[in-house]
Amino acid sequence: MTTATLSRWDRFRESFLWYSFKRDKVAIASFVVLVLMLLAAIFAPLLAPTNPYDLAQINIMNSELPPIGMQGADSAFPLGTDAQGRDMLSTILYGTRVSLLIGFGAVVLQAALGILFGLLAGYLGGRVDSILMRIADVQLSFSTLMVAIIVGAVFKASFGNLMFGEIAIYMLIFIIGVAEWPQIARTVRASVLAEKKKEYVDAAKVMGFRTNRIMFRHILPNTLSPIFVIATVQIANAIISEAALSFLGLGMPETQPSLGSLIKSGFDYIQSGSWWITLIPGLVLVVLVLVINLLGDWLRDVMNPRLYKG
Amino acid sequence: MLAFLVQRISQAALVMFVISVIAFSIQDGLGDPLQEMVGMSVSMEEREALREELGLNDPKLVQYLRFAGNAIQGDLGNSYFYGKPTLEVIADHLPATLELVIGASLIILLLSVPIGVYAAIRPQAWLAKFFMGVSTVGISIPVFLTAIVLIQIYSIGVNVEWFPVETGWGQWLNGALSTEGGLPSYGRGENLTHLFGTWYSGFFTESGLMHLVLPCVSLASIMLPLFIRLIRAEMMEVLQSDYIRYARAKGLSAGRINFLHALKNTMLPVITVGGVQIGVMVAYTILTETVFQWPGVGLMFLEAITRSDIPLIVAYLMVVGLIFVVTNTLVDLVYGLVNPTVKLTGKKA
């Protein structure tokens, strides 16, 4: 057991991935920032001074206090408070947690759909391929954000405000996952088309393996690196989509805010001079998305997969 | 060419058919016209009779055909909130959105071509690297956040007092980082010029133009990085090709090669992507219009959602669907015309 893990670790240290990571300062910095943010999000309940979901801990008298360093600041609230008197640091920690959860969840869902449909379209070809890819084309031409907004609007109209607020996390994962599957499906299909012609697939066919086994056990592992690259970028896209939906009021409710709904609730107070309620969560959102995008760029350069152009 | 035309148009018709089915099922599943027409006091029998009269008890297929027939004739029902035909409501709001898109497109066109070409010709220059760095950051900033930051800086104003005033440097830094504000961030302004029909334009008065600045810059900011990167990538590819080398060997001037020979072939893929992006921009107009309370179709759609104005939601869906399908088909056709190497018929490669 120990020798197996050790050799795997050694293999990783010998790999080109690790070699190029060590030499890329931007990649290292992005990775460190991302890990810090992930840790902060995971341990938010331990790190946050107050629990923003707990109404008993909120005092309306503390509302709209500015962050430390400005006049009238309270040292108990390092990043100030929002209009309801919630500690901004705590709400941002919890909000990052919600945003990341939705981002990862949506990408897991779209990867599942995208891999399934991409494999089917690429390997089976023919009519299955043209139907699936036509659907993907149409959906992409409408832009994923537009599809997400429309689906979100329909869900909200049919569930009602209160009900939608309660199940908003699952709804958002579903909406963003379904709206963005074509991106991954196209990438998978493109690499399946290249893999399909190789000899190992012919060998597997001659040996009489079933189609399912060839698709999932033989071809899929060889298409993983482009999936990995595009999934990274897709997490950033999903987080932005979630923020956009929440900003439009089609996402997380204010009682259980994500970064997007924090920005939305702060926007109502920007004219009165309370810029920190909206701009600090905004900054956190931009940093989060930026480091994921930078890591995605780096992965693309290193793995150099045949990404679908367009 | 004719076969290509027929193929593309029938494909567009198919997509429009699917959109209409989706729109119909939304209307059928969510809207209850009876609820809007009659009050609480109407008895069950009368309701039932009215349902029969309105044809709500007919088979779904008959109802769909009636819906599609009316839609083709330009009748998508009445808005609950505005109390007039939904298409009229959309026509009232569409000019505002179109002006937003036109303004943003102008900014994108005027900035992305020179910057993209420059970054391709001198990829190692620090200014080019700076532009590419900014565009990477730009892609990571959601459009509504750009809009909020712009409002804070140019509308509300920033008063920086971080540095000590005693030193000359501190005072200078404070002054340099502070902004006046004052640009309008709400609505379309006054004295709009009436062009025709429902189109009131903000392009011809000072107030209208001032109100256009922040929304257009915000909307442009999300597309600009994408276009800069695209133009740079395509241009770099073109600059590697044989005919450019030949032009260089012939001793043509660099300006002539770059802007006449290379740019022509660079713009081809840019046109296709650009056409598709116009559709994508519609989604971003919803966000931009929300921030700036811009009275366009995006804000109208969002308000229709909060008011559960189902006919208006459905009509918006159909109109936006039509815009998407028409632009995509036109882009396909134009691309087929200008690029003779594209396969006109048969399956996509």
Side-chain angles (χ1 to χ4, degrees):
Chain A
M1 188 62 204
T2 5
T3 49
T5 45
L6 198 74
S7 71
R8 188 167 286 180
W9 172 243
D10 281 342
R11 239 165 58 194
F12 173 69
R13 285 189 47 180
E14 304 270 307
S15 72
F16 178 64
L17 197 69
W18 177 242
Y19 173 78
S20 57
F21 181 74
K22 276 189 302 187
R23 295 172 153 252
D24 193 329
K25 288 194 191 93
V26 177
I28 294 174
S30 312
F31 187 74
V32 169
V33 173
L34 181 64
V35 168
L36 285 178
M37 291 182 99
L38 280 176
L39 288 176
I42 292 168
F43 296 108
L46 300 175
L47 293 172
T50 59
N51 180 359
Y53 299 164
D54 184 6
L55 289 174
Q57 293 185 23
I58 303 169
N59 188 349
I60 193 75
M61 295 303 286
N62 291 331
S63 66
E64 289 192 59
L65 289 176
I68 279 180
M70 285 175 68
Q71 228 168 24
D74 186 332
S75 60
F77 307 107
L79 294 181
T81 58
D82 69 2
Q84 299 170 43
R86 290 187 292 197
D87 174 37
M88 284 306 295
L89 178 62
S90 311
T91 44
I92 288 174
L93 284 170
Y94 276 83
T96 312
R97 193 179 155 95
V98 173
S99 287
L100 278 168
L101 192 67
I102 294 172
F104 276 102
V107 169
V108 168
L109 179 62
Q110 56 176 287
L113 289 173
I115 289 172
L116 180 66
F117 292 151
L119 271 177
L120 287 175
Y123 190 70
L124 299 181
R127 188 157 292 176
V128 181
D129 183 31
S130 54
I131 291 175
L132 283 174
M133 283 304 116
R134 199 41 45 83
I135 297 174
D137 279 349
V138 171
Q139 222 182 306
L140 278 183
S141 73
F142 271 77
S143 101
T144 51
L145 186 61
M146 195 73 213
V147 175
I149 289 175
I150 290 171
V151 178
V154 171
F155 277 4
K156 187 154 188 178
S158 47
F159 285 113
N161 257 345
L162 211 66
M163 175 81 177
F164 188 86
E166 274 169 27
I167 51 171
I169 286 195
Y170 308 104
M171 285 283 119
L172 285 169
I173 291 176
F174 176 80
I175 291 168
I176 298 168
V178 169
E180 302 224 350
W181 71 266
Q183 307 269 14
I184 291 184
R186 286 178 132 184
T187 313
V188 174
R189 175 178 174 271
S191 30
V192 169
L193 285 180
E195 290 297 320
K196 182 161 101 164
K197 297 188 193 100
K198 292 192 178 162
E199 280 158 353
Y200 74 93
V201 178
D202 287 336
K205 274 188 198 156
V206 170
M207 277 189 270
F209 288 138
R210 281 177 303 122
T211 312
N212 277 349
R213 191 188 160 95
I214 299 177
M215 280 197 308
F216 288 98
R217 295 281 294 278
H218 297 255
I219 296 182
L220 182 59
N222 286 311
T223 62
L224 279 181
S225 68
I227 295 176
F228 199 55
V229 172
I230 197 152
T232 315
V233 181
Q234 285 299 89
I235 292 176
N237 284 345
I239 291 174
I240 286 194
S241 297
E242 187 280 328
L245 286 171
S246 291
F247 185 76
L248 292 174
L250 299 171
M252 296 305 292
E254 259 183 64
T255 49
Q256 209 186 329
S258 67
L259 290 174
S261 34
L262 281 176
I263 296 169
K264 173 191 160 64
S265 63
F267 178 57
D268 298 334
Y269 298 92
I270 194 171
Q271 295 287 353
S272 63
S274 308
W275 52 267
W276 58 92
I277 309 180
T278 185
L279 289 183
I280 296 179
L283 184 68
V284 174
L285 178 73
V286 171
V287 170
L288 181 61
V289 171
L290 182 65
V291 292
I292 297 177
N293 273 336
L294 287 173
L295 276 177
D297 278 355
W298 168 76
L299 268 181
R300 188 189 341 242
D301 291 345
V302 174
M303 292 187 164
N304 192 24
R306 297 161 296 268
L307 275 181
Y308 191 90
K309 192 183 164 192
Chain B
M1 190 63 213
L2 190 69
F4 180 66
L5 200 74
V6 171
Q7 187 203 5
R8 280 302 133 100
I9 289 176
S10 60
Q11 199 177 314
L14 185 73
V15 174
M16 237 12 245
F17 166 72
V18 174
I19 292 171
S20 73
V21 171
I22 293 171
F24 170 73
S25 43
I26 290 173
Q27 185 165 43
D28 192 52
L30 293 181
D32 186 3
L34 274 190
Q35 208 87 37
E36 291 299 317
M37 292 169 68
V38 300
M40 297 292 274
S41 58
V42 178
S43 72
M44 284 305 274
E45 289 81 41
E46 281 177 84
R47 277 170 194 261
E48 203 45 47
L50 204 58
R51 285 188 79 84
E52 195 65 47
E53 198 186 310
L54 288 170
L56 292 173
N57 291 336
D58 290 347
K60 289 278 179 267
L61 186 64
V62 177
Q63 289 193 41
Y64 169 73
L65 288 177
R66 197 182 302 137
F67 170 83
N70 286 339
I72 288 171
Q73 289 168 26
D75 175 13
L76 284 166
N78 282 356
S79 157
Y80 295 157
F81 180 79
Y82 293 92
K84 57 179 182 176
T86 46
L87 286 182
E88 255 178 54
V89 177
I90 290 177
D92 288 345
H93 290 87
L94 201 56
T97 302
L98 286 178
E99 295 208 333
L100 194 59
V101 172
I102 292 170
S105 307
L106 281 177
I107 296 175
I108 293 170
L109 202 68
L110 291 178
L111 289 181
S112 67
V113 175
I115 295 178
V117 169
Y118 173 74
I121 298 173
R122 305 237 180 289
Q124 295 305 325
W126 69 266
L127 195 60
K129 284 184 174 165
F130 171 76
F131 281 135
M132 296 322 288
V134 170
S135 75
T136 309
V137 177
I139 283 182
S140 308
I141 305 180
V143 61
F144 55 92
L145 207 59
T146 318
I148 293 173
V149 172
L150 285 177
I151 289 180
Q152 177 72 49
I153 296 176
Y154 294 107
S155 181
I156 300 172
V158 181
N159 191 20
V160 174
E161 290 162 352
W162 297 336
F163 303 100
V165 232
E166 292 80 48
T167 59
W169 272 103
Q171 201 157 17
W172 183 83
L173 274 172
N174 282 340
L177 288 172
S178 300
T179 53
E180 277 280 335
L183 267 181
S185 67
Y186 179 91
R188 294 187 71 191
E190 290 133 27
N191 303 326
L192 298 180
T193 325
H194 183 228
L195 291 185
F196 57 85
T198 57
W199 194 308
Y200 288 85
S201 174
F203 277 117
F204 304 102
T205 59
E206 200 197 328
S207 164
L209 278 174
M210 294 297 268
H211 281 78
L212 271 165
V213 174
L214 290 185
C216 286
V217 171
S218 309
L219 188 57
S221 74
I222 194 74
M223 296 289 179
L224 199 55
L226 210 108
F227 275 84
I228 292 177
R229 286 170 154 226
L230 181 74
I231 291 174
R232 174 178 175 267
E234 294 294 340
M235 184 87 176
M236 283 176 102
E237 216 175 295
V238 170
L239 287 178
Q240 301 291 322
S241 56
D242 285 341
Y243 81 96
I244 294 291
R245 275 208 230 154
Y246 174 66
R248 285 210 184 105
K250 233 168 50 165
L252 295 182
S253 72
R256 198 177 160 80
I257 295 173
N258 289 334
F259 288 96
L260 210 77
H261 296 238
L263 193 60
K264 219 188 260 175
N265 278 328
T266 302
M267 292 318 280
L268 206 65
V270 175
I271 289 171
T272 16
V273 176
V276 176
Q277 293 300 327
I278 288 177
V280 177
M281 233 165 122
V282 175
Y284 289 116
T285 58
I286 301 180
L287 287 160
T288 318
E289 288 177 11
T290 311
V291 177
F292 292 101
Q293 292 294 304
W294 190 259
V297 280
L299 188 63
M300 179 210 76
F301 174 62
L302 213 62
E303 285 172 344
I305 293 169
T306 30
R307 292 171 184 146
S308 299
D309 195 341
I310 307 293
L312 197 53
I313 296 176
V314 168
Y316 176 83
L317 220 69
M318 296 283 285
V319 171
V320 165
L322 191 67
I323 293 175
F324 274 101
V325 170
V326 169
T327 44
N328 278 333
T329 312
L330 280 180
V331 165
D332 267 4
L333 291 178
V334 169
Y335 194 66
L337 275 179
V338 292
N339 187 0
T341 57
V342 79
K343 268 197 243 167
L344 289 184
T345 47
K347 281 176 189 162
K348 265 189 186 169

Coordinates of all heavy atoms in Angstrom, one line a residue, chain B residues 271-305:
Chain B
I271 N -16.0 38.0 -38.6 CA -17.4 38.3 -38.9 C -18.4 37.2 -38.4 O -19.4 37.5 -37.8 CB -17.6 38.5 -40.5 CG1 -16.9 39.8 -40.9 CG2 -19.0 38.5 -40.9 CD1 -16.8 39.9 -42.4
T272 N -18.0 36.0 -38.6 CA -18.9 34.9 -38.2 C -19.0 34.9 -36.7 O -20.2 34.9 -36.2 CB -18.3 33.5 -38.5 OG1 -16.9 33.6 -38.8 CG2 -19.1 32.8 -39.6
V273 N -17.9 35.0 -36.0 CA -18.0 35.0 -34.5 C -18.8 36.2 -34.1 O -19.6 36.2 -33.2 CB -16.6 35.0 -33.9 CG1 -16.7 35.1 -32.4 CG2 -15.9 33.7 -34.2
G274 N -18.5 37.4 -34.7 CA -19.2 38.6 -34.4 C -20.7 38.5 -34.5 O -21.4 38.9 -33.7
G275 N -21.1 37.9 -35.6 CA -22.5 37.7 -35.8 C -23.2 36.9 -34.7 O -24.3 37.3 -34.2
V276 N -22.5 35.8 -34.3 CA -23.1 35.0 -33.3 C -23.1 35.8 -32.0 O -24.0 35.7 -31.2 CB -22.3 33.7 -33.2 CG1 -22.8 32.9 -32.0 CG2 -22.4 32.9 -34.5
Q277 N -22.0 36.6 -31.8 CA -21.9 37.3 -30.5 C -23.0 38.4 -30.3 O -23.3 38.7 -29.2 CB -20.5 38.0 -30.4 CG -19.4 37.0 -30.2 CD -19.5 36.1 -29.0 OE1 -20.0 36.5 -28.0 NE2 -19.1 34.9 -29.1
I278 N -23.5 38.9 -31.5 CA -24.6 39.9 -31.4 C -25.8 39.2 -30.6 O -26.4 39.8 -29.7 CB -25.1 40.3 -32.8 CG1 -24.0 41.2 -33.3 CG2 -26.4 41.1 -32.7 CD1 -24.3 41.7 -34.7
G279 N -26.0 37.9 -30.9 CA -27.0 37.2 -30.2 C -26.7 37.1 -28.7 O -27.6 37.3 -27.9
V280 N -25.4 36.7 -28.4 CA -25.0 36.6 -27.1 C -25.2 37.9 -26.3 O -25.6 37.9 -25.1 CB -23.6 36.1 -27.0 CG1 -23.1 36.0 -25.5 CG2 -23.4 34.8 -27.7
M281 N -25.0 39.0 -27.0 CA -25.1 40.3 -26.4 C -26.5 40.5 -25.8 O -26.6 41.3 -24.8 CB -24.8 41.4 -27.4 CG -23.7 42.3 -26.8 SD -23.0 43.2 -28.0 CE -22.7 44.3 -28.6
V282 N -27.5 40.0 -26.5 CA -28.9 40.1 -26.0 C -29.0 39.7 -24.5 O -29.6 40.3 -23.7 CB -29.9 39.4 -26.9 CG1 -31.3 39.4 -26.3 CG2 -29.8 39.9 -28.3
A283 N -28.3 38.6 -24.2 CA -28.3 38.1 -22.8 C -27.7 39.1 -21.9 O -28.2 39.4 -20.8 CB -27.6 36.8 -22.7
Y284 N -26.6 39.7 -22.3 CA -25.9 40.7 -21.5 C -26.7 42.0 -21.4 O -26.5 42.7 -20.4 CB -24.5 40.9 -22.0 CG -23.6 39.8 -21.8 CD1 -23.0 39.1 -22.8 CD2 -23.3 39.3 -20.5 CE1 -22.2 38.0 -22.7 CE2 -22.5 38.2 -20.3 CZ -22.0 37.5 -21.4 OH -21.2 36.5 -21.2
T285 N -27.5 42.3 -22.4 CA -28.3 43.5 -22.2 C -29.2 43.4 -21.1 O -29.5 44.4 -20.4 CB -29.1 43.8 -23.5 OG1 -30.0 42.8 -23.8 CG2 -28.3 44.2 -24.7
I286 N -29.7 42.2 -20.7 CA -30.6 42.1 -19.6 C -29.9 42.6 -18.3 O -30.4 43.3 -17.5 CB -31.1 40.6 -19.4 CG1 -31.8 40.1 -20.7 CG2 -32.0 40.5 -18.2 CD1 -32.2 38.7 -20.6
L287 N -28.6 42.1 -18.2 CA -27.8 42.5 -17.0 C -27.6 44.0 -17.0 O -27.8 44.7 -16.0 CB -26.5 41.7 -16.9 CG -26.7 40.3 -16.6 CD1 -25.4 39.5 -17.0 CD2 -26.8 40.1 -15.1
T288 N -27.1 44.5 -18.1 CA -26.7 45.9 -18.2 C -28.0 46.8 -17.9 O -27.9 47.8 -17.2 CB -26.2 46.3 -19.6 OG1 -25.3 45.2 -20.0 CG2 -25.4 47.6 -19.6
E289 N -29.1 46.5 -18.6 CA -30.3 47.3 -18.4 C -30.8 47.2 -17.0 O -31.3 48.2 -16.5 CB -31.4 46.8 -19.4 CG -31.1 47.1 -20.8 CD -32.1 46.6 -21.8 OE1 -33.2 46.1 -21.3 OE2 -31.9 46.6 -23.0
T290 N -30.6 46.1 -16.3 CA -31.0 46.1 -14.9 C -30.2 47.0 -14.0 O -30.8 47.8 -13.2 CB -30.8 44.6 -14.3 OG1 -31.3 43.7 -15.2 CG2 -31.4 44.5 -13.0
V291 N -28.9 47.1 -14.3 CA -28.1 48.0 -13.4 C -28.4 49.4 -13.7 O -28.5 50.2 -12.8 CB -26.6 47.7 -13.7 CG1 -25.7 48.7 -13.0 CG2 -26.2 46.3 -13.4
F292 N -28.6 49.8 -15.0 CA -28.8 51.2 -15.3 C -30.3 51.6 -15.4 O -30.6 52.7 -15.9 CB -28.1 51.5 -16.6 CG -26.6 51.5 -16.5 CD1 -25.9 50.4 -16.9 CD2 -25.9 52.5 -15.9 CE1 -24.5 50.3 -16.8 CE2 -24.5 52.4 -15.8 CZ -23.8 51.3 -16.2
Q293 N -31.2 50.7 -15.0 CA -32.6 51.0 -15.2 C -32.9 51.5 -16.6 O -33.6 52.5 -16.8 CB -33.1 52.0 -14.1 CG -33.0 51.4 -12.7 CD -34.0 50.3 -12.6 OE1 -35.2 50.4 -12.8 NE2 -33.6 49.1 -12.2
W294 N -32.3 50.8 -17.6 CA -32.4 51.2 -19.0 C -33.7 50.7 -19.5 O -33.9 49.5 -19.5 CB -31.2 50.7 -19.7 CG -31.1 51.2 -21.1 CD1 -31.4 50.5 -22.3 CD2 -30.5 52.4 -21.6 NE1 -31.1 51.3 -23.4 CE2 -30.5 52.4 -23.0 CE3 -29.9 53.5 -20.9 CZ2 -30.0 53.5 -23.7 CZ3 -29.5 54.6 -21.6 CH2 -29.5 54.6 -23.0
P295 N -34.6 51.5 -20.0 CA -36.0 51.0 -20.3 C -36.0 50.2 -21.6 O -36.8 50.6 -22.6 CB -36.8 52.3 -20.4 CG -35.8 53.3 -20.8 CD -34.5 53.0 -20.2
G296 N -35.2 49.2 -21.8 CA -35.2 48.3 -23.0 C -35.9 47.0 -22.8 O -36.6 46.8 -21.7
V297 N -35.8 46.1 -23.7 CA -36.6 44.9 -23.6 C -36.0 43.9 -22.5 O -36.8 43.1 -22.0 CB -36.6 44.1 -25.0 CG1 -37.6 44.6 -25.9 CG2 -35.2 44.0 -25.6
G298 N -34.7 44.1 -22.2 CA -34.2 43.2 -21.2 C -34.8 43.5 -19.8 O -35.2 42.6 -19.1
L299 N -34.9 44.8 -19.5 CA -35.5 45.2 -18.2 C -37.0 44.8 -18.2 O -37.5 44.3 -17.2 CB -35.3 46.7 -18.0 CG -35.7 47.2 -16.6 CD1 -34.9 46.6 -15.5 CD2 -35.6 48.7 -16.6
M300 N -37.6 45.1 -19.4 CA -39.0 44.7 -19.5 C -39.2 43.2 -19.2 O -40.2 42.8 -18.5 CB -39.5 45.1 -20.9 CG -40.9 44.7 -21.3 SD -41.1 44.3 -23.0 CE -40.4 42.7 -23.1
F301 N -38.3 42.4 -19.8 CA -38.5 40.9 -19.6 C -38.3 40.6 -18.1 O -39.1 39.8 -17.6 CB -37.4 40.2 -20.4 CG -37.3 38.8 -20.2 CD1 -38.3 37.9 -20.5 CD2 -36.1 38.2 -19.7 CE1 -38.2 36.5 -20.3 CE2 -36.0 36.8 -19.5 CZ -37.0 36.0 -19.8
L302 N -37.3 41.2 -17.4 CA -37.1 40.9 -16.0 C -38.3 41.3 -15.2 O -38.7 40.6 -14.3 CB -35.8 41.6 -15.6 CG -35.1 40.8 -14.5 CD1 -34.6 39.5 -15.0 CD2 -33.9 41.6 -14.0
E303 N -38.9 42.5 -15.5 CA -40.1 42.9 -14.8 C -41.2 42.0 -15.1 O -42.0 41.7 -14.2 CB -40.4 44.4 -15.2 CG -39.4 45.4 -14.6 CD -39.6 46.8 -15.1 OE1 -40.3 47.0 -16.1 OE2 -39.1 47.7 -14.4
A304 N -41.3 41.5 -16.3 CA -42.4 40.6 -16.6 C -42.3 39.3 -15.8 O -43.3 38.8 -15.4 CB -42.4 40.2 -18.1
I305 N -41.1 38.9 -15.5 CA -40.9 37.7 -14.7 C -41.4 38.0 -13.3 O -42.1 37.2 -12.7 CB -39.4 37.3 -14.6 CG1 -39.0 36.8 -16.0 CG2 -39.2 36.2 -13.6 CD1 -37.5 36.6 -16.1

